């Protein structure tokens, strides 16, 4: 087993275990910390895929900014009582359906995997450029410009929504 | 680093690194050794900085400061650490036991991970990443997580307030900090810390701070955001001792308490190294132009002395910046929470956005004017070099001369003198 494969299994196992801990832990703070660990191990998997930019962004955005916001909210709510038993409502059904859908989409992607090794290790020019900030930036601003801009529109809508919710009278 | 190790394996052990199974052992051992060395370096820097800061603080308050342990008190930090290790490591029974115990390690890890990409001199850094600066910003986020955790897990009012303030402050100041860091990134065209340094030159007018007005303004604002992210005065609200006892570390004792201070003082080095890399030319040595260096590299004859001199230059810049940060701490009062927030969101963020736009515009214009010569250090003979020198004279040299003239005039008028005798 090569070192990459060994590292991959370490990262993958840790990702799955800590992701399970997010769902199964009783305290919200323990869940949140397991989520931080999940993001870090996932960043390790990205780094093994030579996607350095994505790996760093994963840590920067999720483990950094978003997790701090999560912790902030948990601190403000200070949930000491355990949540009551789950009841079925519309939000839960929709959530479960989207989880199943996402799982199905991920499993379906297994059939799209290339059967032959891609041989990128031999292609040094491609290996040097792949996953760097320059390449990712170029692709985002040319081929995937529309999805990129629609995501920023979504974020703008979220900001406007937050302001409206927080301040009824502006 | 892998090339160096491969050469070592080939020349010392006489094995082919590609096929020899033992090369993984060598790589792993080298990784552990470098990691250990860098962590020890960080701890030593933090310890010596604690002594240095206390001496400067004492000097500024007409005291003497720690001068008993070792020559001039230099070993004071070892005595302090020893004391903290043998003290009882108290965990409050009301706290969240596990999170309380691991919180300091988050802070320590976030601090130690920065040394992976920090440069020390020409070709001297543990590794080079094409996303180097991004990585730095990303791993320092762990420090905030640790601080928030300690605030929450302590289950104490003061600690919780400190943790909340820390979170609000660091997350807010990361935004203008990232924007202002974009100014030198745009000028260098890279996020690799060594590439950013190589796009500058050895002389002050080759540094990004004096190349354009945007870099000049960004330097001072970035300095302020770094102070805020490192929880340094005037932004040390998370541990404001007059209001919050000791903020997020109120409940800590023993060596866990020591870890917070280790990270805080060690962060002085990290901040100063980042500032000097982005704005102050990093390890660039005067009179060694980019062409000379490229010539040496092409011929494979980089003098050993150059490694040493460039490291000395870099360390000098870092130490001077650390001194400035310490002076700021013992000169300025702490600002209020609402002031801290409004400085960030009402001033730094809009100014940062404007500076990024102006810097990008300048880069585009400069590319139109100078073509391929628009990036990298410009020799004085070229029009770009002349522009940089002119801006340096206006923004750097003239104000400095005027400042010192004013200082000396004041000293002459009041009949005071600078007294350095009680050091």
């Amino acid at each position: 087993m090569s070192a990459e494969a060994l590292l991959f299994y370490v990262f993958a196992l840790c990702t799955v275990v800590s992701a399970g801990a997010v769902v199964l832990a009783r305290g919200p703070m323990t869940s949140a910390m397991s989520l931080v660990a999940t993001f870090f191990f996932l960043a390790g998997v990205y780094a093994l895929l030579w996607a350095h930019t994505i790996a760093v962004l994963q840590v920067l955005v999720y483990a950094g900014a978003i997790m701090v916001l999560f912790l902030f909210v948990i601190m403000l709510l200070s949930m000491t009582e355990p949540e009551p038993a789950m009841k079925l409502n519309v939000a839960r059904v929709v959530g479960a359906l989207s989880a199943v859908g996402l799982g199905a989409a991920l499993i379906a992607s297994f059939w799209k995997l290339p059967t032959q090794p891609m041989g990128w290790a031999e292609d040094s020019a491609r290996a040097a450029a792949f996953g760097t900030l320059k390449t990712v930036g170029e692709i985002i601003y040319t081929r995937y410009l529309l999805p990129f801009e629609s995501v920023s529109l979504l974020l703008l809508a979220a900001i406007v929504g937050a302001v409206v919710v927080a301040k009824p009278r502006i | 680093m892998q090339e160096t190790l491969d050469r070592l394996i080939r020349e010392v052990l006489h094995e082919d690194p590609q096929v020899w199974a033992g090369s993984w052992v060598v790589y792993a051992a080298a990784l552990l050794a470098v990691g250990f060395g860098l962590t020890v370096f960080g701890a030593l820097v933090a310890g010596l900085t604690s002594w240095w800061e206390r001496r400067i603080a004492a000097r500024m308050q007409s005291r003497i400061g720690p001068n008993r342990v070792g020559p001039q008190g230099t070993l004071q930090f070892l005595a302090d650490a020893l004391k903290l290790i043998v003290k009882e490591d108290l965990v409050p029974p009301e706290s969240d036991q596990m999170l309380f115990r691991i919180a300091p390690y988050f802070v320590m890890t976030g601090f130690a991970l920065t040394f992976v990409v920090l440069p020390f001199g020409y070709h001297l850094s543990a590794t080079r990443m094409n996303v180097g600066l991004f990585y730095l910003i990303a791993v320092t986020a762990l420090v905030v997580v640790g601080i928030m955790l300690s605030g929450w897990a302590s289950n104490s009012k003061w600690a919780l307030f400190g943790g909340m303030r820390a979170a609000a402050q660091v997350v807010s100041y990361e935004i203008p900090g990232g924007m202002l860091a974009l100014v030198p990134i745009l000028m260098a065209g890279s996020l690799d810390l060594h590439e950013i340094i190589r796009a500058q030159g050895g002389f002050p007018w080759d540094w990004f701070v004096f190349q354009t007005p945007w870099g000049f303004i960004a330097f001072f604002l970035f300095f302020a955001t770094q102070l805020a992210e490192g929880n340094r005065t005037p932004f040390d609200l998370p541990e404001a001792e007059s209001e919050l006892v000791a903020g997020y570390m109120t409940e800590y004792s023993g060596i866990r308490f020591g870890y917070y201070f280790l990270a805080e003082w060690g962060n002085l080095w990290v901040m100063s190294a980042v500032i000097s890399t982005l704005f102050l030319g990093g390890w660039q040595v005067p009179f060694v132009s980019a062409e000379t260096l490229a010539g040496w590299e092409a011929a494979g004859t980089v003098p050993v002395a150059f490694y040493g001199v460039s490291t000395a230059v870099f360390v000098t810049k870092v130490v001077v910046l650390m001194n400035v940060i310490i002076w700021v701490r013992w000169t300025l009062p702490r600002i209020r929470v609402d002031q801290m927030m409004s400085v960030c969101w009402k001033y730094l963020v809009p100014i940062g956005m404007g500076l990024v736009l102006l810097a990008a515009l300048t880069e585009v214009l400069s590319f139109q004017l100078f073509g391929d010569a628009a990036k990298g250090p410009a020799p004085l003979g070229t029009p770009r070099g002349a522009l940089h020198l002119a801006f340096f004279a206006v923004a750097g040299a003239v104000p400095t001369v005027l400042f010192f003239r004013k200082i000396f005039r004041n000293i002459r008028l009041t009949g005071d003198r600078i007294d350095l005798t009680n050091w």
Side-chain angles (χ1 to χ4, degrees):
Chain A
M1 191 156 49
S2 71
E4 273 102 353
L6 185 72
L7 281 175
F8 170 77
Y9 284 117
V10 171
F11 284 139
L13 191 72
C14 292
T15 310
V16 173
V17 168
S18 48
V22 176
V23 185
L24 299 175
R26 292 194 71 85
M29 208 60 166
T30 321
S31 283
M33 291 333 289
S34 309
L35 198 56
V36 173
T38 314
F39 288 143
F40 266 90
F41 292 124
L42 210 55
V45 175
Y46 284 136
L48 282 179
L49 290 170
W50 293 353
H52 311 114
T53 310
I54 307 290
V56 171
L57 280 180
Q58 170 86 12
V59 176
L60 180 69
V61 176
Y62 288 99
I66 291 191
M67 275 323 294
V68 171
L69 277 183
F70 272 23
L71 296 181
F72 211 90
V73 173
I74 293 172
M75 279 182 180
L76 282 175
L77 296 179
S78 77
M79 289 177 280
T80 44
E81 297 290 308
E83 286 272 293
M86 283 218 196
K87 285 206 188 80
L88 208 62
N89 59 20
V90 181
R92 290 235 161 83
V93 172
V94 173
L97 282 180
S98 27
V100 169
L102 184 65
L106 285 176
I107 291 169
S109 69
F110 274 106
W111 275 274
K112 295 191 115 187
L113 289 181
T115 46
Q116 300 296 318
M118 288 156 104
W120 280 18
E122 287 80 48
D123 192 351
S124 59
R126 188 169 196 177
F130 184 81
T132 61
L133 199 73
K134 226 170 211 159
T135 330
V136 173
E138 234 173 71
I139 290 177
I140 284 182
Y141 279 104
T142 51
R143 205 169 145 192
Y144 297 108
L145 185 62
L146 189 66
F148 178 70
E149 291 298 338
S150 9
V151 168
S152 29
L153 209 64
L154 192 70
L155 287 177
L156 184 68
I159 294 170
V160 173
V163 171
V164 170
V165 170
K167 286 207 159 178
R169 286 171 291 132
I170 298 173
Chain B
M1 203 171 81
Q2 200 185 356
E3 294 88 58
T4 325
L5 288 177
D6 282 349
R7 221 177 66 198
L8 197 79
I9 292 170
R10 213 170 290 129
E11 287 167 10
V12 181
L13 301 171
H14 303 291
E15 300 276 359
D16 185 5
Q18 301 290 333
V19 291
W20 187 48
S23 42
W24 289 113
V25 182
V26 176
Y27 292 155
L31 273 183
L32 281 179
V34 170
F36 181 73
L38 285 174
T39 316
V40 168
F41 173 80
L44 280 179
V45 161
L48 283 171
T49 314
S50 79
W51 163 75
W52 183 241
E53 167 146 29
R54 289 165 73 184
R55 286 306 297 263
I56 292 185
R59 165 85 192 112
M60 291 175 86
Q61 299 169 344
S62 297
R63 296 183 284 120
I64 294 172
N67 69 342
R68 294 285 121 183
V69 192
Q72 287 295 311
T74 34
L75 301 180
Q76 179 70 42
F77 72 97
L78 290 179
D80 288 342
L82 205 65
K83 186 192 80 173
L84 285 174
I85 288 171
V86 296
K87 270 178 93 168
E88 186 186 356
D89 178 21
L90 208 79
V91 181
E94 299 286 303
S95 67
D96 188 323
Q97 307 280 320
M98 201 220 2
L99 292 180
F100 185 88
R101 284 170 200 271
I102 62 166
Y105 299 109
F106 273 88
V107 177
M108 274 292 288
T109 315
F111 157 66
L113 282 178
T114 54
F115 283 95
V116 172
V117 289
L118 276 191
F120 293 96
Y122 170 72
H123 248 282
L124 278 178
S125 61
T127 180
R128 285 179 67 164
M129 285 191 197
N130 64 70
V131 285
L133 194 69
F134 248 26
Y135 168 85
L136 260 182
I137 301 173
V139 291
T140 35
L142 262 187
V143 177
V144 203
V145 173
I147 289 178
M148 289 193 70
L149 259 191
S150 59
W152 189 82
S154 300
N155 205 359
S156 131
K157 291 184 187 71
W158 309 127
L160 187 65
F161 271 122
M164 303 271 271
R165 279 189 184 184
Q169 173 176 327
V170 180
V171 172
S172 305
Y173 276 86
E174 246 175 28
I175 293 164
M179 276 183 198
L180 294 165
L182 274 181
V183 173
I185 288 170
L186 281 169
M187 291 162 93
S190 173
L191 279 164
D192 182 342
L193 295 176
H194 282 279
E195 288 296 321
I196 294 175
I197 292 174
R198 297 191 77 145
Q200 307 175 57
F203 294 105
W205 50 85
D206 293 327
W207 299 348
F208 282 155
V209 54
F210 291 125
Q211 279 194 5
T212 56
W214 330 127
F216 188 69
I217 304 169
F219 167 71
F220 292 100
L221 300 185
F222 187 74
F223 188 80
T225 62
Q226 289 301 100
L227 287 185
E229 283 188 47
N231 294 331
R232 291 287 300 189
T233 324
F235 301 101
D236 63 342
L237 299 139
E239 44 176 295
E241 67 278 346
S242 52
E243 314 154 32
L244 295 181
V245 190
Y248 56 89
M249 51 183 136
T250 307
E251 304 295 334
Y252 280 87
S253 56
I255 192 64
R256 277 177 220 278
F257 175 79
Y259 286 148
Y260 288 109
F261 276 99
L262 199 158
E264 190 176 324
W265 270 309
N267 259 331
L268 281 195
W269 175 281
V270 177
M271 282 183 225
S272 310
V274 172
I275 296 170
S276 110
T277 300
L278 289 183
F279 291 99
L280 301 180
W283 44 254
Q284 288 277 9
V285 182
F287 301 109
V288 180
S289 67
E291 289 83 47
T292 321
L293 192 55
W296 283 341
E297 279 174 348
T301 55
V302 183
V304 180
F306 183 68
Y307 288 88
V309 173
S310 63
T311 310
V313 167
F314 188 75
V315 171
T316 312
K317 284 173 184 169
V318 170
V319 169
V320 167
L321 274 174
M322 283 163 81
N323 260 308
V324 173
I325 295 174
I326 293 173
W327 289 335
V328 167
R329 169 159 180 197
W330 297 99
T331 311
L332 294 182
R334 179 185 305 133
I335 62 173
R336 286 198 321 263
V337 178
D338 58 319
Q339 289 172 331
M340 181 264 285
M341 278 301 177
S342 64
V343 162
C344 177
W345 290 106
K346 289 186 187 160
Y347 298 96
L348 290 181
V349 171
I351 296 174
M353 280 184 186
L355 286 179
V356 169
L357 286 180
L358 286 170
L361 189 71
T362 314
E363 285 308 302
V364 173
L365 281 181
S366 145
F367 191 72
Q368 294 292 330
L369 279 176
F370 305 115
D372 286 338
K375 286 255 185 284
L380 282 186
T382 61
R384 219 175 116 235
L387 260 178
H388 292 165
L389 187 65
F391 181 69
F392 168 68
V394 175
V398 173
T400 313
V401 170
L402 290 179
F403 175 75
F404 278 106
R405 247 186 59 190
K406 179 97 177 164
I407 295 268
F408 284 120
R409 193 162 157 272
N410 284 351
I411 290 173
R412 209 176 51 239
L413 285 183
T414 52
D416 208 342
R417 64 197 171 82
I418 299 174
D419 177 22
L420 295 169
T421 47
N422 68 351
W423 262 65

